[in-house]
Amino acid sequence: MNVIVNRVAEFLKHHPPFSFLEKEDLELVARQVEILYLEKGKILFHQGEPAQPHFFVLKDGSIQLVEKTPKGDEIREICEEGDVFGVLALLGKRPYLLTSEVLEDSLVYAIPVEIFEKILKENAQVALYFAAGFASGQVVIRQDLSQGQKARGLFKNLKGDHSLMIFSDQSEVKVSENVLTCPLSTPVQQAAQLMAQEEVSSIVMVDAQGFPKGILTDKDLRVRVLAKGLDLKTSVQDVMTTPVITRKKSDGFSNLYLTMIRHRLHHLILTEDGTDESPVIGLISDHDIFLSMGNSPAVLIHGLMNTLDLGEMRKIRDRAEQMLLYYLDNEVSMDFVSSVMTEINDVIIQQAIRISRKKLQEQYSEMDKIKFCFLSLGSEGREEQLLRTDLDNAILYEDVEEPFKEKAQEYFLQLGTAITEILLACGFDPCPGKIMASNPEWVQPLSQWKSYFSEWILHPTQEALLKVSIFFDYRSIGPHSSLAEELTEHIYQEIRKKKVFLNFLAQNALSNPTPLGFFKGIVVEKSGEHKDQFDLKARAMMPLTDLARLLVLSHEVVGINNTFRRFEYLGTLEPNYSELFTQAGKAYEILMRMRASEGLRKGNSGRYLNPKSLGKLQRQLLKNTFSPITELQEIVQVRFQLDYFSK
């Protein structure tokens, strides 16, 4: 008997959730296991039957879980060795939602619920395993992808240097609570004397109620007062930085930190309610952050903003990738990760623009006054380019009078080419389709860009819809974003005139095949260089980006490009589907993380991965991300009348 118990325990300890058990608990479970031999064709339990007092683990053989629907039997899962199934006896004791059919002679371990319930209550990892929907056929809570994200972290053994763990909202925020303030009428000399006396680098201007109205720093005194030879009796109100950006301390570290990164703040003022209409209660300085963070986003961005050397820029971007890997391994929120990497990429682009304009200044001095903006497209336009994958970008400039048209086209093409070369030198890959600012087709005045989008909307051919999937996610990196805003307004005017464009876009959004095959296995490439690999981008990520883009366009949403933020916002617009949109956003975050992790470890784009290389939990988590895709496609099919539209 002991030999059998030892063999059962040895098998179970290699499969979750039993791998999370202490030795004593594992042996206790193994002693209670009932071993079942099931012949091919046998039914272990039927859909609708009351749950048995056991749940099951497949030791050998093959069992499929089938749902009987009005359309006929649909296979929901094919159980593999070590899979746990029939868990409704354990979770709520409800009738079975699926039927288990034995496909080939199988050996099954039946585990009594009674012995396992105590473990479920006391072991957080075991409880999370079921809450995250990792058990086979656990369709009732399979969509709770936020639990799946949480599980990824808990099921890992975190090790190594944790000095980069600075994003958590539980992190201690270093705040100066004794903030130096002065009235708006204070002379700058007196303000400087107060700063020297208190040995601080800033002073906050407040009104009679103590509300912050401006801030003055050491640098401001040098640049705005001394360098300009102003009278030292000048009021601080005339030289302070205003309006001020404020937050409240309870916003959490990641929010406060990202605010400083995005706005390039050296000091962030904290107030009671987070607005400039309440009293000052604290101040965060970048100096304190730099001292404690080492290789942090703020340090990397600071380094990029203070160098024009391409070799140095490349090294800093390499360091950003090391930081990215650490964040991914330690389950940092993807909202934070994508925001940080976007800021780093944006600074590189802004520096590239600065270097390129300076290079062309002497030859094209008359072009300085022409407004333009650099557009990031595709994944960078959506703030999702974690890896240095293909560049997709363009230049949009204002229309000029006839005598300057040719010269302007020449200048902006040279500018776009110079910017592209700098980005390539920083390690980004060129776009195979040449959708870059070095291609004259994508360096155009506003009128031509309006014409492009009008043509794509009015005549949505397959080629036009392919362009839409790249160009409709544009984002201005500056310097004149108002041009991009005018283009956006034009696009919505055109869509209003031809609503049927959205039907074509919907049809295109449903063109990607379902990620799961007939037998509910992950669909892999059948031939070619990536044979037996799963295409994360085309089969899982693109369907979600296409669906999110379609739905925000249908609601005329402006200014939200990121896919998971689009789903988050759609949930507020359509409360009936808020849970589905939440799950779709979580699914996309999980897929982004998987792709980035795969790419960093393999030194490539991370687009293709081998499902067999994934652990059981990772593979199940990947499958769980497909469920929102199917549901959203069904909604779009009905909403845009695609059955009728395609006839």
Side-chain angles (χ1 to χ4, degrees):
M1 179 60 70
N2 283 338
V3 173
I4 295 174
V5 169
N6 289 340
R7 285 180 180 173
V8 170
E10 183 63 27
F11 175 81
L12 291 178
K13 78 176 184 181
H14 294 293
H15 301 282
F18 309 100
S19 52
F20 308 137
L21 300 183
E22 297 294 335
K23 184 178 179 182
E24 296 76 12
D25 285 339
L26 183 62
E27 289 179 356
L28 179 65
V29 170
R31 289 182 185 282
Q32 301 298 321
V33 162
E34 183 180 342
I35 302 173
L36 307 178
Y37 175 75
L38 306 175
E39 295 182 350
K40 179 180 178 181
K42 183 175 177 57
I43 303 295
L44 183 56
F45 52 78
H46 285 89
Q47 182 176 329
E49 282 184 352
Q52 299 179 26
H54 299 79
F55 66 98
F56 308 98
V57 181
L58 182 61
K59 169 65 170 69
D60 290 308
S62 180
I63 291 177
Q64 69 179 9
L65 303 175
V66 178
E67 182 178 10
K68 296 187 182 298
T69 73
K71 298 178 183 178
D73 289 357
E74 293 189 12
I75 299 170
R76 295 297 181 207
E77 200 101 39
I78 304 288
C79 294
E80 303 171 354
E81 179 185 298
D83 275 353
V84 177
F85 64 103
V87 297
L88 292 184
L90 189 64
L91 306 172
K93 299 180 174 59
R94 290 159 289 179
Y96 290 114
L97 296 173
L98 306 172
T99 297
S100 66
E101 299 178 355
V102 180
L103 296 178
E104 58 185 62
D105 292 353
S106 300
L107 202 61
V108 171
Y109 291 159
I111 300 173
V113 168
E114 186 180 2
I115 197 68
F116 211 74
E117 281 180 329
K118 184 171 181 290
I119 292 171
L120 189 62
K121 290 176 183 175
E122 295 176 355
N123 189 309
Q125 288 180 299
V126 171
L128 190 54
Y129 171 88
F130 291 107
F134 287 125
S136 296
Q138 197 177 330
V139 295
V140 176
I141 57 174
R142 182 175 56 195
Q143 279 192 30
D144 193 352
L145 293 170
S146 60
Q147 293 290 342
Q149 288 182 306
K150 182 180 176 184
R152 287 170 58 100
L154 190 57
F155 295 163
K156 284 183 176 181
N157 293 316
L158 302 184
K159 20 178 144 166
D161 175 18
H162 291 256
S163 61
L164 291 177
M165 296 285 284
I166 46 74
F167 48 83
S168 170
D169 283 337
Q170 280 71 52
S171 296
E172 174 115 14
V173 184
K174 184 176 177 61
V175 175
S176 299
E177 295 181 347
N178 297 318
V179 182
L180 183 64
T181 64
C182 70
L184 292 164
S185 58
T186 305
V188 292
Q189 183 175 28
Q190 185 181 341
Q193 288 171 341
L194 289 170
M195 291 166 64
Q197 182 179 322
E198 297 296 326
E199 297 183 344
V200 295
S201 61
S202 66
I203 185 169
V204 177
M205 285 76 247
V206 296
D207 62 14
Q209 297 171 285
F211 299 170
K213 296 303 169 189
I215 187 169
L216 193 68
T217 67
D218 282 344
K219 183 178 178 182
D220 295 333
L221 288 170
R222 292 195 309 271
V223 175
R224 299 177 188 174
V225 180
L226 296 177
K228 293 186 177 180
L230 294 185
D231 190 320
L232 295 182
K233 294 179 181 178
T234 301
S235 166
V236 289
Q237 188 170 6
D238 296 330
V239 293
M240 68 185 185
T241 298
T242 187
V244 291
I245 293 172
T246 58
R247 292 290 184 269
K248 55 185 176 182
K249 183 176 179 180
S250 60
D251 281 348
F253 189 83
S254 60
N255 183 290
L256 299 175
Y257 183 39
L258 283 173
T259 298
M260 295 185 72
I261 291 174
R262 285 174 179 151
H263 296 282
R264 314 288 187 258
L265 299 180
H266 296 289
H267 301 83
L268 178 61
I269 299 170
L270 305 179
T271 62
E272 285 184 358
D273 68 3
T275 74
D276 60 4
E277 295 298 319
S278 69
V280 177
I281 62 166
L283 189 77
I284 303 176
S285 75
D286 60 1
H287 178 70
D288 293 329
I289 291 174
F290 286 173
L291 287 177
S292 62
M293 288 185 185
N295 196 25
S296 73
V299 172
L300 298 179
I301 288 172
H302 184 268
L304 285 170
M305 292 179 68
N306 288 279
T307 184
L308 298 178
D309 180 85
L310 299 192
E312 184 64 22
M313 289 169 67
R314 171 70 182 254
K315 287 178 183 176
I316 292 173
R317 188 55 179 80
D318 289 343
R319 285 165 58 193
E321 222 145 83
Q322 296 167 12
M323 178 185 69
L324 171 62
L325 180 59
Y326 184 89
Y327 283 169
L328 295 172
D329 281 349
N330 288 280
E331 303 300 322
V332 181
S333 101
M334 286 308 295
D335 192 12
F336 180 89
V337 172
S338 64
S339 294
V340 164
M341 297 307 293
T342 296
E343 289 297 325
I344 289 171
N345 290 342
D346 284 0
V347 172
I348 291 173
I349 293 169
Q350 288 158 3
Q351 291 295 79
I353 293 171
R354 179 182 166 194
I355 294 167
S356 302
R357 292 183 77 178
K358 187 176 180 181
K359 176 183 174 185
L360 298 171
Q361 166 67 32
E362 188 175 341
Q363 186 181 355
Y364 294 96
S365 57
E366 73 277 22
M367 296 289 111
D368 267 359
K369 294 181 181 177
I370 300 176
K371 294 179 180 178
F372 78 97
C373 66
F374 186 89
L375 299 177
S376 280
L377 313 171
S379 61
E380 175 61 13
R382 293 191 302 272
E383 303 177 62
E384 297 167 5
Q385 191 174 33
L386 304 184
L387 306 176
R388 282 172 283 188
T389 48
D390 302 350
L391 288 173
D392 291 306
N393 48 52
I395 285 182
L396 158 65
Y397 59 93
E398 66 178 333
D399 289 286
V400 295
E401 297 297 325
E402 187 60 50
F404 298 101
K405 282 188 177 179
E406 190 173 333
K407 190 76 170 178
Q409 175 65 31
E410 178 184 301
Y411 168 70
F412 284 111
L413 180 58
Q414 287 206 36
L415 181 67
T417 300
I419 293 168
T420 301
E421 287 174 353
I422 291 172
L423 296 179
L424 295 176
C426 288
F428 291 89
D429 290 335
C431 173
K434 301 189 185 310
I435 299 177
M436 296 182 289
S438 55
N439 183 340
E441 188 175 4
W442 311 123
V443 179
Q444 297 292 340
L446 178 59
S447 58
Q448 182 57 54
W449 277 109
K450 287 181 177 179
S451 178
Y452 281 159
F453 280 94
S454 294
E455 176 63 23
W456 296 334
I457 292 166
L458 296 174
H459 301 99
T461 62
Q462 195 57 45
E463 183 181 352
L465 291 171
L466 182 61
K467 294 281 198 307
V468 165
S469 69
I470 300 171
F471 285 90
F472 271 63
D473 291 336
Y474 64 79
R475 184 171 58 88
S476 171
I477 312 299
H480 297 98
S481 298
S482 59
L483 292 167
E485 291 166 7
E486 187 175 340
L487 179 60
T488 299
E489 178 54 35
H490 170 78
I491 289 169
Y492 280 122
Q493 287 176 0
E494 293 294 85
I495 292 175
R496 288 182 206 118
K497 288 191 286 187
K498 188 174 180 180
K499 289 279 190 183
V500 74
F501 167 72
L502 294 175
N503 298 79
F504 281 98
L505 203 58
Q507 195 172 42
N508 190 63
L510 268 61
S511 62
N512 285 304
T514 305
L516 290 177
F518 181 77
F519 292 107
K520 299 302 172 184
I522 297 173
V523 173
V524 296
E525 301 303 297
K526 301 299 182 188
S527 59
E529 179 186 354
H530 301 290
K531 186 176 184 295
D532 296 328
Q533 293 180 314
F534 177 68
D535 189 340
L536 265 174
K537 178 181 175 181
R539 294 192 184 274
M541 298 181 76
M542 276 180 60
L544 287 168
T545 57
D546 289 347
L547 289 161
R549 183 188 307 111
L550 165 68
L551 293 170
V552 296
L553 281 173
S554 72
H555 284 286
E556 297 193 15
V557 175
V558 175
I560 303 178
N561 278 21
N562 179 273
T563 300
F564 52 80
R565 291 191 199 113
R566 279 174 167 172
F567 281 124
E568 182 180 30
Y569 189 70
L570 285 165
T572 67
L573 298 177
E574 300 187 39
N576 290 347
Y577 294 114
S578 62
E579 180 59 25
L580 174 58
F581 288 134
T582 296
Q583 297 307 321
K586 294 295 183 187
Y588 196 77
E589 290 183 56
I590 290 168
L591 294 167
M592 274 183 69
R593 186 185 298 277
M594 283 187 173
R595 180 176 179 183
S597 297
E598 181 77 7
L600 288 172
R601 285 177 171 77
K602 297 287 178 63
N604 56 31
S605 71
R607 175 171 178 171
Y608 296 92
L609 60 80
N610 184 348
K612 292 181 180 176
S613 70
L614 300 176
K616 193 177 291 293
L617 299 185
Q618 283 283 80
R619 196 159 60 250
Q620 186 60 48
L621 184 59
L622 176 60
K623 284 184 178 182
N624 289 354
T625 65
F626 303 156
S627 184
I629 299 174
T630 305
E631 287 195 51
L632 283 169
Q633 288 180 335
E634 289 171 355
I635 290 169
V636 165
Q637 181 86 22
V638 174
R639 180 173 297 184
F640 294 93
Q641 302 176 318
L642 296 188
D643 288 336
Y644 170 79
F645 182 74
S646 58
K647 290 180 181 177

